[in-house]
Amino acid sequence: MAFSLSRVNPGNRIAMKHDSDPSNSEGFQGSKLRRDVLKIPVSLGPILAGLVTAERASAKAGTETKGAEVVATDRSSKPVSAEAWVAAHPGPMPELVLGPADEPYYLVVRDGALQNFALKAECTHLGCLVAFDVAAGKGFACPCHGSMYNTDGAVTRGPAPRSLSLAEVSLSDDGVVLLAPWSKPDFRIPA
């Protein structure tokens, strides 16, 4: 079957003609060719999706390796210098950086010093991005379901089931902030 569009009149009206005569080999072959060409992306789709998924998984696995340090980057994707960061963000309101697996983390500055931990900015309830509670000034709040965390990221009100995830903060030789997955006991849990 073949369809063709043609102008009926100068008033921009378009009519569609249907050529259902299979003996018209040009119209029939053109239609079959279009169907065959459209089958190519459909058959390659699952293959390409598998390759993209495998590439993402291997890239993510490389950044989440235990003990692997990652350079913390700011909003403009520049490495964070500890000295410049503390000068620009004296506290108490923490600011976001990108850390392991390109996830957002809060760098915590207290009394003019960068702390040895960063807090993952993802609520442990359903993964919403938590924000510093400016009104109370006492921690973080999840805008989705109301979970609250103190300034160390420990849960103070649910429905969040656990505290915010931690990352270890260290400095490179030239003072750039490095983040790594937390490998120490959680200091927020009483011994």
Side-chain angles (χ1 to χ4, degrees):
M1 293 184 201
F3 293 93
S4 62
L5 298 176
S6 62
R7 296 232 181 253
V8 175
N9 62 24
N12 279 339
R13 289 183 45 207
I14 297 177
M16 185 171 20
K17 294 182 182 177
H18 179 263
D19 182 6
S20 60
D21 182 9
S23 65
N24 181 352
S25 61
E26 183 181 320
F28 183 72
Q29 290 296 333
S31 171
K32 183 177 182 323
L33 179 62
R34 281 190 297 275
R35 280 194 310 272
D36 290 343
V37 168
L38 289 174
K39 288 179 187 176
I40 293 171
V42 172
S43 62
L44 288 178
I47 295 169
L48 293 175
L51 290 174
V52 168
T53 303
E55 178 64 27
R56 284 184 182 163
S58 68
K60 193 170 187 178
T63 59
E64 289 184 349
T65 306
K66 225 18 170 181
E69 294 179 325
V70 177
V71 173
T73 56
D74 63 12
R75 293 175 191 250
S76 50
S77 300
K78 294 180 181 166
V80 173
S81 161
E83 187 177 336
W85 187 266
V86 170
H89 307 92
M93 192 166 137
E95 290 289 329
L96 287 171
V97 297
L98 287 181
D102 288 333
E103 294 285 344
Y105 283 83
Y106 283 106
L107 285 182
V108 181
V109 177
R110 291 191 185 138
D111 300 323
L114 187 63
Q115 299 300 295
N116 67 343
F117 67 93
L119 300 169
K120 189 172 184 182
E122 183 178 290
C123 181
T124 58
H125 176 231
L126 291 176
C128 296
L129 192 67
V130 298
F132 187 72
D133 188 0
V134 178
K138 296 180 182 175
F140 301 89
C142 177
C144 299
H145 301 104
S147 294
M148 302 289 289
Y149 303 88
N150 68 17
T151 55
D152 288 335
V155 176
T156 58
R157 187 176 85 197
R162 62 190 173 282
S163 299
L164 296 176
S165 298
L166 296 167
E168 291 183 41
V169 174
S170 61
L171 301 179
S172 68
D173 293 336
D174 56 349
V176 172
V177 176
L178 303 172
L179 297 178
W182 191 259
S183 61
K184 303 171 189 172
D186 191 336
F187 63 88
R188 301 168 297 190
I189 299 173

